[in-house]
Amino acid sequence: MHYLIPLTPIYKLLMILNFCSLSSGSSGNCYYIGNEFHGILIDAGISASSIRKFLKDRNISIQTIMGVLITHNHIDHIRGLEVLTRKSHLPAFTTLNIWESILTPQMKISRDCIRHIPLQQKFHLAGFDIEAFPVFHDAPETVGFHICAGDKKITIATDLGHICQTAAPYLKEANLLVIESNYDEEMLVNGGYPHYLKKRIQSDHGHLGNLQTSVFLADIINDNLSHICLAHLSKNNNTPEIALQTLHQTFAAKGIYLNGNLKILVLNRNIPTEMIRLTE
Ligand SMILES: [Zn+2]
Ligand SMILES: [Zn+2]
């Protein structure tokens, strides 16, 4: 005899993907992704005490965080890592090359907290399937992360000079895409940064400008994409208004007019966002 087991509630439970940005930009990056039971952090670029406070404000216990995934060794991504791993005993996950670039005499992380992950191979953590993919940036190695729960997918790529053929498919698949929109091209060129720094930011190993990001988004926009989060805005060479305006102008020039189904946010540099919930 066959019994019908009601699978729907469990199925729905597994579909939940919550996202919020705790901080985004060259002063510090930290993003939360969670489900009903557990969560993970992407980067720890703000102080450990700020991370704990921001989580507490959202009724998220640090005990439910199963690990922190690190994109690269720049200080705006690892500022709170040492204290976070020491005080909260959080395991930290990144590639061997990135660990080698992080573990300096000044950055002491307990061996117990160090986890190596391979590039472009799925691993399982906190109920999510996660894949690190390589991006071009001026660090010894930099990755983005693709996080799946059922058929819901979040991709985070915050520091990259251009979108290469390896990274693009991960960005195209996302339902919620966190993508860098670092600088307004005119503000950077006319601003006060020294020439070498402007060139570094503009290079293929630097950061994505508003126009670059907008053109890419106009190319990949599809019905599965529900949220675009413009991330890692420069304090000196961008504003949220200009980033959004560039996006809308680029879309309009390509005949793309948004209906209400696609939400576009600019992640604040210092203020955490509301929780975004992706469900079936
Ligand atoms: Zn950064
Ligand atoms: Zn960086």
Side-chain angles (χ1 to χ4, degrees):
M1 179 183 273
H2 294 287
Y3 294 97
L4 280 177
I5 302 167
L7 287 173
T8 310
I10 297 166
Y11 180 75
K12 290 248 181 223
L13 215 59
L14 294 173
M15 290 284 109
I16 290 170
L17 255 181
N18 291 324
F19 168 84
C20 82
S21 164
L22 305 185
S23 181
S24 182
S26 42
S27 309
N29 293 269
C30 185
Y31 309 92
Y32 167 85
I33 293 174
N35 55 31
E36 298 284 79
F37 308 107
H38 300 296
I40 56 173
L41 298 173
I42 313 291
D43 284 331
I46 52 176
S47 72
S49 57
S50 297
I51 292 173
R52 276 196 296 271
K53 180 190 178 303
F54 289 151
L55 291 175
K56 199 172 166 213
D57 289 347
R58 276 153 189 74
N59 292 320
I60 298 166
S61 160
I62 192 83
Q63 315 293 342
T64 65
I65 304 295
M66 306 304 282
V68 52
L69 315 181
I70 302 296
T71 59
H72 64 301
N73 73 341
H74 287 165
I75 192 66
D76 55 318
H77 299 261
I78 59 169
R79 185 175 284 108
L81 182 62
E82 187 180 340
V83 176
L84 196 66
T85 51
R86 190 172 68 239
K87 287 201 172 168
S88 301
H89 306 290
L90 269 188
F93 298 75
T94 196
T95 66
L96 184 63
N97 287 338
I98 297 174
W99 272 125
E100 280 179 359
S101 67
I102 288 175
L103 295 171
T104 61
Q106 294 76 38
M107 177 69 82
K108 297 186 189 72
I109 309 245
S110 163
R111 279 174 170 271
D112 297 347
C113 294
I114 294 175
R115 304 280 193 281
H116 294 128
I117 54 171
L119 271 177
Q120 292 190 274
Q121 278 181 40
K122 273 189 192 139
F123 67 100
H124 196 72
L125 179 67
F128 305 124
D129 286 320
I130 303 171
E131 220 174 312
F133 58 91
V135 294
F136 284 88
H137 185 53
D138 56 356
E141 184 164 274
T142 306
V143 296
F145 287 104
H146 185 63
I147 295 124
C148 306
D151 64 353
K152 290 293 169 196
K153 295 161 188 163
I154 294 178
T155 302
I156 297 188
T158 58
D159 292 60
L160 62 171
H162 73 286
I163 299 165
C164 64
Q165 287 185 355
T166 307
Y170 294 98
L171 277 66
K172 287 178 187 170
E173 270 198 31
N175 301 110
L176 184 154
L177 176 58
V178 179
I179 184 169
E180 170 165 56
S181 194
N182 181 259
Y183 61 92
D184 172 67
E185 284 77 358
E186 262 185 50
M187 283 178 81
L188 178 67
V189 168
N190 298 324
Y193 279 11
H195 183 70
Y196 80 90
L197 188 53
K198 290 180 183 179
K199 286 286 161 207
R200 185 176 79 72
I201 292 168
Q202 288 172 319
S203 81
D204 273 359
H205 285 70
H207 293 279
L208 287 179
N210 293 342
L211 197 56
Q212 271 176 296
T213 299
S214 300
V215 168
F216 175 77
L217 289 170
D219 277 349
I220 64 147
I221 199 162
N222 65 80
D223 289 344
N224 292 326
L225 184 62
S226 62
H227 295 80
I228 294 172
C229 300
L230 299 179
H232 208 289
L233 267 68
S234 165
K235 184 180 177 185
N236 300 312
N237 298 310
N238 209 354
T239 68
E241 294 75 21
I242 288 175
L244 266 184
Q245 189 185 30
T246 306
L247 186 78
H248 286 294
Q249 282 173 352
T250 307
F251 278 18
K254 289 179 178 274
I256 300 168
Y257 296 95
L258 300 176
N259 56 27
N261 295 337
L262 175 61
K263 297 183 177 55
I264 298 173
L265 291 85
V266 182
L267 301 185
N268 194 290
R269 293 172 53 80
N270 308 306
I271 303 169
T273 59
E274 292 298 311
M275 193 68 76
I276 298 171
R277 169 167 284 218
L278 301 182
T279 49
E280 192 57 18

